Amino acid sequence: MITKALRMYAANDIRLEEFELPDIKDDEILIKIICDSVCMSTYKCVKQGEKHKRVPSGISEKPVIIGHEFAGQIVKVGKKWQNEFQPGERFAQQPQIPGQLDTPGYSYQYYGGDTQYAIVPNEIIEKGCLLHNKGSYFEASIAEPVACCVAGFHKMYHSIPESYEHAYGNKPGGNLIIMGGCGPMGLAAISYALCTENKPKRVVVTDINDERLAHAEQVLPMEDARKNGIELLYVNTSSMDDQVQGLLALTDGHGYDDVFIFAPVRSMAEVGDQILADDGCMNIFAGPADNQFSGEVNLYNVHYSGHHYVGCTGSLISDLKEVVEKSAKGFMKPAVMITHIGGINAARDVTINLPSTPGGKKLLYMQIELPLTAIEDFRELGKTDPLFLKLADSCDAHNGLWNAEAEEILLDHFHQ
């Protein structure tokens, strides 16, 4: 089978090209990639090439397919797996494979997200990382970054009175704050906070940009949270004379039981430390690029107020399964992360220029050719293009978000 894919030959050397896939073995599965969400980790991988710990040596001769946030359809199943998977069914993928560094999107010649077709190796299926998907393609595609947010919630912990054990997860009925929370990952965290079993009483989201805050409120309305019994507040901390006192006032002086830091900013983390409630937990969620990133914490409060701190990266298979299931049931809104769509022809430029491209997640459909297009531009493009008019109407009916109906409109237009 001939496929078109974006392959890496060296650092900063990625090429969109056609090549032939080998026949699958009895313990492999052939898949059709419908969409892949471009991750900043892929950009970092391309910048490093073989220096990246997950990239094998010799890629100049055996290039690897990049992209690891993908979903699609199963095409052909090897004999070993024919009782578990069927041609035509949809799949989701957990790219972080337990017990190994080799990862789709970094390590495999024939398995990654930025391709039209790929071959799933036996070891990935055996470890339960190829998942059944009952929902849309795009929600399964971005389930992995959302799962990282879910993992952040599960990493939180609080004391159990008269016990040395801990209760894991955010505190039920507590005050929760997501600082720097209007970027793509922050929006995903808000979406999960509003549907987690450990339902908080109050969720406060901070940012220093009114436009980002307005967008967050548009896609995740305060009224929807109120209907679920949660007080959701969006706050611009740049307008506060005293951030600590201003944020504490929102909790009537109680403080925050759970604090998430979604930007690697020292001052933000130090404010987060100062607004922790007794037995509060703070999660340094944003990954700092500086390996000397540090800040001051109140060690008196660690001793007397039970303050504690965690950090996390990545997710477990159980986190991804939770996202896939809750998205399919409509409990979560992974689409809050997506600001652009495009086709396979946009993959190379998007990846290379990702840090300088504004907006949130870029979702690319591998079976079609389409320039990278912002959702907010659909309406204007719809004046001359009927496809974008339909897409604009669909997204407007869903709070401006990409959605399953819009995905079907797009795929039907290109007969995919």
Side-chain angles (χ1 to χ4, degrees):
M1 173 178 282
I2 299 295
T3 189
K4 182 183 289 186
L6 187 59
R7 300 198 289 180
M8 181 169 64
Y9 285 80
N12 299 308
D13 184 0
I14 52 176
R15 309 174 195 175
L16 183 62
E17 56 193 2
E18 290 188 344
F19 64 96
E20 188 169 358
L21 288 174
D23 293 335
I24 65 167
K25 301 173 184 175
D26 286 346
D27 60 359
E28 295 176 331
I29 293 177
L30 177 68
I31 56 173
K32 178 182 181 180
I33 308 294
I34 300 298
C35 57
D36 179 65
S37 172
V38 185
C39 179
M40 187 60 73
S41 296
T42 298
Y43 168 80
K44 295 174 182 177
C45 168
V46 171
K47 298 301 290 183
Q48 295 178 19
E50 291 183 1
K51 292 181 180 179
H52 194 287
K53 64 180 181 180
R54 296 188 185 276
V55 177
S57 59
I59 60 174
S60 61
E61 298 297 326
K62 295 181 178 180
V64 292
I65 300 173
I66 64 171
H68 61 272
E69 297 177 359
F70 57 93
Q73 287 181 346
I74 290 175
V75 177
K76 186 177 180 181
V77 182
K79 291 181 181 179
K80 179 177 178 179
W81 300 106
Q82 287 178 356
N83 290 332
E84 187 168 342
F85 294 95
Q86 300 298 319
E89 72 169 299
R90 300 184 178 196
F91 73 85
Q93 163 69 43
Q94 165 63 288
Q96 198 164 2
I97 314 302
Q100 66 179 59
L101 276 177
D102 286 351
T103 303
Y106 298 83
S107 314
Y108 291 97
Q109 273 189 278
Y110 305 122
Y111 193 43
D114 286 349
T115 182
Q116 294 175 322
Y117 295 90
I119 297 173
V120 190
N122 177 65
E123 67 264 22
I124 288 178
I125 311 170
E126 281 190 332
K127 292 178 178 179
C129 294
L130 186 69
L131 307 175
H132 302 279
N133 172 33
K134 300 293 186 181
S136 66
Y137 293 113
F138 81 88
E139 287 177 324
S141 177
I142 58 174
E144 191 272 338
V146 179
C148 293
C149 296
V150 172
F153 278 75
H154 291 321
K155 275 283 188 92
M156 306 300 276
Y157 67 97
H158 299 277
S159 300
I160 298 175
E162 306 302 321
S163 170
Y164 291 119
E165 297 181 354
H166 292 98
Y168 282 91
N170 63 288
K171 186 174 182 178
N175 292 298
L176 184 150
I177 188 168
I178 302 172
M179 303 186 72
C182 290
M185 295 295 280
L187 293 175
I190 301 167
S191 180
Y192 184 73
L194 300 181
C195 71
T196 178
E197 283 76 9
N198 290 3
K199 186 167 73 172
K201 173 178 66 177
R202 179 181 292 113
V203 176
V204 176
V205 181
T206 75
D207 204 284
I208 58 173
N209 182 286
D210 284 334
E211 290 185 7
R212 288 198 296 264
L213 285 159
H215 174 71
E217 187 173 351
Q218 175 191 354
V219 299
L220 292 164
M222 292 185 288
E223 179 59 30
D224 288 357
R226 192 176 297 114
K227 292 176 182 177
N228 194 31
I230 299 173
E231 181 184 15
L232 174 61
L233 300 172
Y234 293 102
V235 179
N236 189 329
T237 52
S238 67
S239 62
M240 289 182 168
D241 294 330
D242 186 324
Q243 283 192 41
V244 172
Q245 293 305 314
L247 293 172
L248 286 174
L250 298 175
T251 68
D252 297 321
H254 172 82
Y256 293 86
D257 304 288
D258 299 279
V259 174
F260 286 89
I261 306 299
F262 265 74
V265 178
R266 174 173 176 160
S267 59
M268 181 184 294
E270 290 179 344
V271 169
D273 175 67
Q274 295 176 66
I275 61 176
L276 278 171
D278 287 354
D279 192 38
C281 185
M282 185 164 81
N283 189 323
I284 309 298
F285 185 88
D290 179 7
N291 63 8
Q292 299 300 310
F293 179 69
S294 61
E296 292 187 4
V297 299
N298 188 320
L299 297 178
Y300 179 93
N301 286 337
V302 173
H303 184 86
Y304 286 106
S305 298
H307 289 182
H308 33 269
Y309 309 86
V310 298
C312 59
T313 181
S315 63
L316 303 179
I317 295 174
S318 58
D319 300 318
L320 191 112
K321 287 181 177 179
E322 183 178 358
V323 174
V324 171
E325 290 170 2
K326 286 188 173 180
S327 298
K329 294 177 180 178
F331 296 153
M332 291 191 68
K333 293 182 178 180
V336 294
M337 306 181 77
I338 299 169
T339 58
H340 295 70
I341 65 164
I344 191 171
N345 56 308
R348 183 181 183 279
D349 286 346
V350 170
T351 303
I352 290 175
N353 300 306
L354 192 59
S356 60
T357 306
K361 277 286 185 182
K362 283 73 182 176
L363 181 70
L364 303 181
Y365 286 85
M366 294 294 112
Q367 303 296 324
I368 68 174
E369 292 200 354
L370 185 74
L372 185 69
T373 309
I375 294 173
E376 65 182 10
D377 292 338
F378 285 178
R379 181 65 62 190
E380 182 64 26
L381 293 169
K383 292 178 180 178
T384 56
D385 189 328
L387 169 62
F388 283 105
L389 179 59
K390 292 179 182 178
L391 294 176
D393 289 342
S394 179
C395 291
D396 286 351
H398 292 81
N399 285 354
L401 295 175
W402 190 246
N403 59 85
E405 179 190 56
E407 181 172 78
E408 289 300 319
I409 291 170
L410 181 73
L411 296 177
D412 287 346
H413 178 83
F414 289 95
H415 305 293
Q416 293 300 322

